[in-house]
Every structure is written in C-alpha cells, then in structure tokens.
Amino acid sequence: MEQHSEGLKVMVIDDSKTIRRTAETLLKKVGCDVITAVDGFDALAKIADTHPRIIFVDIMMPRLDGYQTCALIKNNSSFKSTPVIMLSSKDGLFDKAKGRIVGSDQYLTKPFSKEELLGAIKAHVPDFAPVEQIS
C-alpha cells in the first residue's frame, strides 16, 4: 500500500512562524507533505485528521507545551508508534530526559540544519526516500 503520489506526511508544531516556515520549506524540497500547527491544541485536531508519519514538536509553546503534547500523542493507541521529535532552543540534559519520559523519540536543538531534520526522519521512518530537487 505504498503511495508515491504524495510525500511523507510530516507535522511541525511550533509557535514560531519562522521555525514552521523554515522546516516546511526544507521538508517540501525533499518531497514531504508538511502539516503545520501553532500549538498542541491545534496539532491534536490535525493529527487525528491527517495521520502524519512523524511529528516535530517545539517544547516551549503557549496553552499546551511540547511535553504535554507529546504525552497526549503517545498515550493515544492510534499514534503511540508515531515518532515524535522534540525541538528546543535549550540543550540541557534535564530537558532531554523530560522529553524521553513523555515518550519522545529524539531531541533536536534549534536552530537545526537540513541534515539534522532529514537525519531524524531517516532514523525513524526507514522507508523515507528524499527527493533531491535540482535548484
């Protein structure tokens, strides 16, 4: 049931418009279908509708932070196997440990590079084959 007509569904949850745009641009260039959300509440509704294969979530967000959002995703039987990558400008051991406790699969420090973003996807979605576009 492999679909080649549309790209890998990737969700990016971040309250920063710049981070959402940057991630969306990078991911679309390699053939991903990107869904963005401004916070955890916005994301939870979209996750149920779109079923992304991998989710990137910022830690520091209003209303529902990244830890709470990750915990809610991982506690839902339909999405508990969906990889969740935490994004944070903090590089602390405590933050990484807390991310692991709520079920995150990886932790990327902002600003992230295209290689880090793609590396995380390749690590958690083994059948992902990025489309290299000639610029």
Side-chain angles (χ1 to χ4, degrees), residues 115-130:
E115 288 72 29
E116 287 173 312
L117 214 55
L118 293 179
I121 295 172
K122 287 175 189 168
H124 300 285
V125 186
D127 62 347
F128 171 65

Side-chain angles (χ1 to χ4, degrees), residues 47-106:
I47 289 167
D49 290 342
T50 60
H51 291 264
R53 294 272 313 275
I54 187 167
I55 300 166
F56 290 90
V57 61
D58 180 30
I59 291 174
M60 302 295 289
M61 294 185 295
R63 301 201 300 166
L64 203 59
D65 72 21
Y67 298 123
Q68 295 164 314
T69 304
C70 180
L72 287 166
I73 294 165
K74 291 297 188 173
N75 286 330
N76 181 317
S77 59
S78 302
F79 302 107
K80 70 173 172 234
S81 63
T82 304
V84 176
I85 315 298
M86 303 299 265
L87 299 174
S88 179
S89 46
K90 295 181 185 174
D91 193 17
L93 209 56
F94 173 77
D95 298 297
K96 290 181 180 179
K98 193 171 175 186
R100 286 272 179 228
I101 290 166
V102 295
S104 77
D105 296 275
Q106 194 177 336

